[in-house]
Amino acid sequence: MSELKAMINIGGEMAKKLTTVGIDSPEKLMELGSKQAFFKLKAAYPNVCLVHLYALEGAIQNTEFNSLPEEKKKELKEFSDFLKR
């Protein structure tokens, strides 16, 4: 879990949630990708939201979530909206 917390955008709470869904290292997060990781989180924690998805993508890209390109944010929002259906 401490390795996850070393990633940008990943705090203690997010690291704990990721660990409970089987994502216990930065390598596993990067291997799965933000969408698949978010899907797993959403199944276990229905209240996770779009910002969590942005944070995961930012962690993978090693950038602040609010600095993601607009096109990437749009793509992620569409994915999040699709999961709500």
Side-chain angles (χ1 to χ4, degrees), residues 2 15 17 22 36 50 54-55 72:
S2 61
K17 287 178 179 174
Q36 191 61 32
L50 180 60
Y54 288 171
K72 179 53 83 171

Side-chain angles (χ1 to χ4, degrees), residues 9-52:
N9 303 324
I10 306 292
E13 192 63 31
M14 175 73 94
K16 189 183 332 178
K17 287 178 179 174
L18 287 167
T19 301
T20 64
V21 298
I23 303 168
D24 58 3
S25 69
E27 294 79 17
K28 282 190 182 175
L29 176 57
M30 289 186 271
E31 182 182 312
L32 270 178
S34 61
K35 291 177 183 176
Q36 191 61 32
F38 182 72
F39 182 77
K40 287 176 153 258
L41 284 175
K42 195 79 170 156
Y45 302 96
N47 291 334
V48 295
C49 66
L50 180 60
V51 174
H52 292 87

